[in-house]
Amino acid sequence: MGLIEGIKKAGKELARELKDIKQAPFVQEMCKTASNMYRLGWDERNGGNISYLLDEKEVAEYLDLTKVLRTLPFMGWNETEFDAKPIEGKIFIVTGTGKYFKNVQDDPETNLGIIRIAKGGKGIELLWGYKDGGRTTSELPAHLMCHMARLAIDPENRVIMHSHPTYTLAMNYVHELDEMKLTHTLWEMCTECIAVFPDGVGVLPWMVCGTNEIGIATAEKMKEFRLVVWSMHGIYGAGKTMDETFGLIETVEKAAQIYMLTAHLPRINTIKDEDMVKLAEYFGVKYRKDFLNL
């Protein structure tokens, strides 16, 4: 057998061995999560975005990692503004720009993409997806900045999720947008809150989305918080898994809903600060003591 024939045969064998990418757990997770976020009203139209840092060995079971479909720039950002070198070679699955979350489940290959950060951290290599010629969410640089910030804190943080939860947004208009005060109010709403997000909720003032300013500011907050509210816009969450990250936002949204349902009524009962301490200590979580009035 000649060299060329040998290469062709090896290529065919590799192709046969690759699993169906649409059945990959990470693709299924993205589909189910996007569907749930749309169903709950968190991500209307093309609002919201998700990025998920993948394990290269796992991806290699489904894709030929030597095959790059397209090279893409970081949308809206030039090389002098953004440097992803710390995550060079890392692979992510990311929602696409202009894509509706309600369509992800039925057509993941159009609405999602698997990308690799190019050599030197200057650009993106598309390995799968965006089959209609699309590109990553325009918020990708903000996501990647948050990934870098969270990975420096916890190497297991792999998911960044942005959405527009209804009651969380509504609460922005009637509650002081102060990190300590907002966190404290949310902790008071549900017994589980201080155990689920003991590090509290960061808050940014209203800013134009898709800019380097909001990306840098969010990443800076992510050094301290896993949840960051974009005032009058939505929320960013970071976590180790899709479920954890979804659950963080879900818990904030439930607390905000209870607040909005009761804020206009006289409060007869509340969870006291000393009770929150008991909860945090019982669950063994490191909480923001400076956010309590003790």
Side-chain angles (χ1 to χ4, degrees), residues 46-188:
N46 62 316
N49 24 76
I50 309 170
S51 61
Y52 183 7
L53 173 60
L54 304 178
D55 179 83
E56 183 176 328
K57 290 182 180 179
E58 186 178 7
V59 179
E61 296 179 15
Y62 299 89
L63 295 176
D64 177 358
L65 300 184
T66 66
K67 185 178 180 181
V68 176
L69 302 181
R70 285 185 280 144
T71 56
L72 303 169
F74 293 115
M75 289 184 64
W77 298 56
N78 61 45
E79 291 186 2
T80 61
E81 292 177 325
F82 181 63
D83 181 10
K85 193 169 184 179
I87 50 174
E88 173 186 332
K90 297 291 187 184
I91 298 174
F92 297 84
I93 185 167
V94 187
T95 51
T97 185
K99 303 305 183 186
Y100 290 31
F101 272 28
K102 70 183 181 69
N103 297 329
V104 173
Q105 185 88 54
D106 291 335
D107 190 2
E109 193 171 358
T110 296
N111 296 284
L112 301 175
I114 295 177
I115 63 166
R116 179 169 56 204
I117 307 303
K119 187 175 181 180
K122 301 295 184 182
I124 305 163
E125 296 173 339
L126 179 63
L127 303 176
W128 176 84
Y130 308 141
K131 71 176 183 180
D132 62 349
R135 299 199 288 181
T136 66
T137 170
S138 59
E139 299 285 359
L140 180 65
H143 275 247
L144 296 181
M145 284 183 176
C146 290
H147 276 291
M148 289 187 280
R150 288 308 307 170
L151 288 169
I153 302 297
D154 184 345
E156 294 185 9
N157 272 198
R158 299 170 60 194
V159 178
I160 299 293
M161 189 178 292
H162 170 55
S163 64
H164 309 152
T166 306
Y167 288 96
T168 302
L169 264 175
M171 191 173 175
N172 281 200
Y173 291 90
V174 298
H175 192 285
E176 290 179 81
L177 291 171
D178 172 90
E179 289 170 347
M180 183 179 73
K181 293 177 180 178
L182 182 65
T183 296
H184 191 278
T185 296
L186 292 169
W187 281 350
E188 288 180 310

Side-chain angles (χ1 to χ4, degrees), residues 19-24 27-28 31 62 107-109 128 131:
K19 300 176 184 177
D20 181 1
I21 185 65
K22 292 181 183 178
Q23 300 305 314
V27 172
Q28 290 294 307
C31 290
Y62 299 89
D107 190 2
E109 193 171 358
W128 176 84
K131 71 176 183 180

